[in-house]
Amino acid sequence: MIKKILFTAIVSTVLCNSFAQNQHYVTLDPMKATTEFAISGVTGVPFKEESLASGASGSRYLFDDWKPGIVILYNGTAFSNVMLKFDAVKSKFYFNRHDTLFELMDDATEVQLNNTENDEIMDFKKIISGDDKNSDSTFVRVLNGGKVPLYKEYSKKIEGENMTNGIFTSEKRLVPHNGYWSIINNETISVKLNKQSLEKLTSDKIDMVQEFVKTKKLNVKNEKDFTEIINYYNQISVVK
């Protein structure tokens, strides 16, 4: 990610509301929340699933199977029971309509993906980055919202070469390159799951945070524990 993050007014409104409530989940009218309703309501661009021209092995997707989710548009309209896949190479969501792959349109700002493997709701939001002439959008997972938001960016990149010398053989592979970051004062800050990053993010209340880590016996190198620590910091930061 580049250092500057640009928000349109509507993006800022959506994200700020979400951060204030941490993660939120949308429930539609049960009479309308059917797969057919979702498919007919969500718009997308037809997309032909291609193999990587480089010949790299491995899956480009976060999950190979389709996952149910909720798609939320900038205007607040939500569609439930959409079958989705996340492309970790292009940072895009695809949905399946009558066995045809479609890419979500630009008006989709949030996806709440149901990871059925562990019964977990994964909240993704679109971040727009760049400048007035060159902009790009990326879906990132919101691990925590508040004074110090914590995001996880899922990414896969090609590593290695397809070659053999008769003795040794190697191949190009798609390898995960996930990263963590935050946005403070409209600047992105790279986050590592370590003590140094934690101290930088929570410096004004570091004594309380360290006591919390010690009492709860949390491991800052563990994603779940690190997220819990940031959540605690955000909670004590709003106390008058």
Side-chain angles (χ1 to χ4, degrees):
M1 292 294 298
I2 62 176
K3 292 184 178 180
K4 276 286 184 181
I5 298 293
L6 301 180
F7 297 93
T8 62
I10 194 164
V11 174
S12 297
T13 300
V14 172
L15 293 179
C16 290
N17 288 341
S18 175
F19 294 164
Q21 302 174 17
N22 200 353
Q23 294 189 8
H24 68 282
Y25 308 115
V26 175
T27 301
L28 299 183
D29 183 342
M31 296 300 293
K32 295 182 179 180
T34 66
T35 301
E36 188 59 35
F37 173 81
I39 289 177
S40 64
V42 178
T43 58
V45 179
F47 177 82
K48 183 178 181 181
E49 187 172 14
E50 83 280 4
S51 60
L52 291 177
S54 61
S57 63
S59 172
R60 63 190 303 130
Y61 298 106
L62 180 59
F63 300 108
D64 287 333
D65 56 333
W66 295 93
K67 301 291 185 184
I70 295 173
V71 176
I72 303 173
L73 309 184
Y74 282 124
N75 64 11
T77 303
F79 301 98
S80 183
N81 293 335
V82 184
M83 299 307 293
L84 299 151
K85 274 188 178 183
F86 180 72
D87 186 335
V89 174
K90 293 188 174 182
S91 186
K92 295 181 181 294
F93 275 99
Y94 304 126
F95 67 94
N96 190 347
R97 176 188 288 158
H98 304 311
D99 297 324
T100 300
L101 200 66
F102 290 84
E103 177 186 327
L104 285 179
M105 293 287 282
D106 290 339
D107 58 350
T109 183
E110 181 177 1
V111 172
Q112 294 170 1
L113 195 67
N114 184 2
N115 179 7
T116 52
E117 295 177 6
N118 59 7
D119 195 27
E120 174 187 34
I121 300 297
M122 304 173 71
D123 191 23
F124 289 83
K125 287 188 172 63
K126 182 185 292 182
I127 301 295
I128 299 177
S129 60
D131 52 38
D132 292 339
K133 295 182 179 179
N134 301 290
S135 63
D136 194 13
S137 60
T138 302
F139 272 103
V140 297
R141 183 182 177 187
V142 181
L143 295 177
N144 206 287
K147 178 181 179 180
V148 174
L150 182 62
Y151 307 102
K152 182 174 184 178
E153 184 173 0
Y154 293 96
S155 176
K156 290 187 178 183
K157 299 179 180 179
I158 298 173
E159 290 186 0
E161 295 291 338
N162 289 328
M163 61 167 289
T164 181
N165 59 12
I167 299 175
F168 175 79
T169 300
S170 65
E171 65 175 358
K172 289 184 178 180
R173 297 178 297 116
L174 277 169
V175 179
H177 283 266
N178 303 330
Y180 303 90
W181 48 279
S182 184
I183 299 177
I184 299 178
N185 296 326
N186 209 31
E187 296 282 341
T188 62
I189 297 177
S190 178
V191 175
K192 303 292 184 181
L193 301 184
N194 59 32
K195 181 179 178 181
Q196 290 73 24
S197 273
L198 182 64
E199 291 178 348
K200 183 177 181 180
L201 294 174
T202 65
S203 59
D204 59 323
K205 296 185 182 297
I206 189 60
D207 290 341
M208 297 176 66
V209 168
Q210 289 177 340
E211 181 63 26
F212 178 76
V213 172
K214 180 179 179 180
T215 302
K216 299 279 288 187
K217 298 181 179 180
L218 300 176
N219 179 5
V220 297
K221 295 183 178 181
N222 178 274
E223 178 185 294
K224 183 178 180 181
D225 287 0
F226 195 95
T227 302
E228 183 177 349
I229 298 167
I230 295 299
N231 182 56
Y232 169 74
Y233 169 79
N234 286 330
Q235 289 178 347
I236 62 176
S237 293
V238 299
V239 175
K240 300 294 185 180

